[in-house]
Amino acid sequence: GRDDDDDDDEDEDYEEGILVPNPILDSIDPEGATDRIGELFSDPKWWRDVAVIAFLCLVVYVNTYDIDELVPWDVVTVDDFDIKAMYGPM
């Protein structure tokens, strides 16, 4: 019936290996940078920059992380955690 006709239309709209021109995507990425992603990953300078940014993020995180803000130790004590219940009967 009608549902079969819809499926056929979808199959006709897309065929393997055909690139449909899209002016909007071309304006976003005119040089086709997505095609050169392998070139980016093989560039040692890119990996150095990513490592520096990741290291800086880690340093900021470690220096601003405060466990006391996450767990109110004046209300919760170590004895409040039932270790036996976590691991089940032994």
Side-chain angles (χ1 to χ4, degrees), residues 35-70:
D35 297 335
R36 297 190 315 274
I37 196 79
E39 185 180 322
L40 177 68
F41 288 153
S42 65
D43 185 4
K45 291 179 184 177
W46 185 80
W47 286 109
R48 181 201 62 206
D49 294 346
V50 169
V52 167
I53 291 170
F55 178 74
L56 290 175
C57 290
L58 179 65
V59 167
V60 168
Y61 174 75
V62 167
N63 287 326
T64 59
Y65 180 76
D66 188 10
I67 189 72
D68 294 329
E69 290 181 9
L70 296 176

Side-chain angles (χ1 to χ4, degrees), residues 10-23:
E10 289 175 9
D11 291 339
E12 290 171 8
D13 290 342
Y14 177 77
E15 292 185 24
E16 192 79 28
I18 296 177
L19 182 62
V20 178
N22 188 332

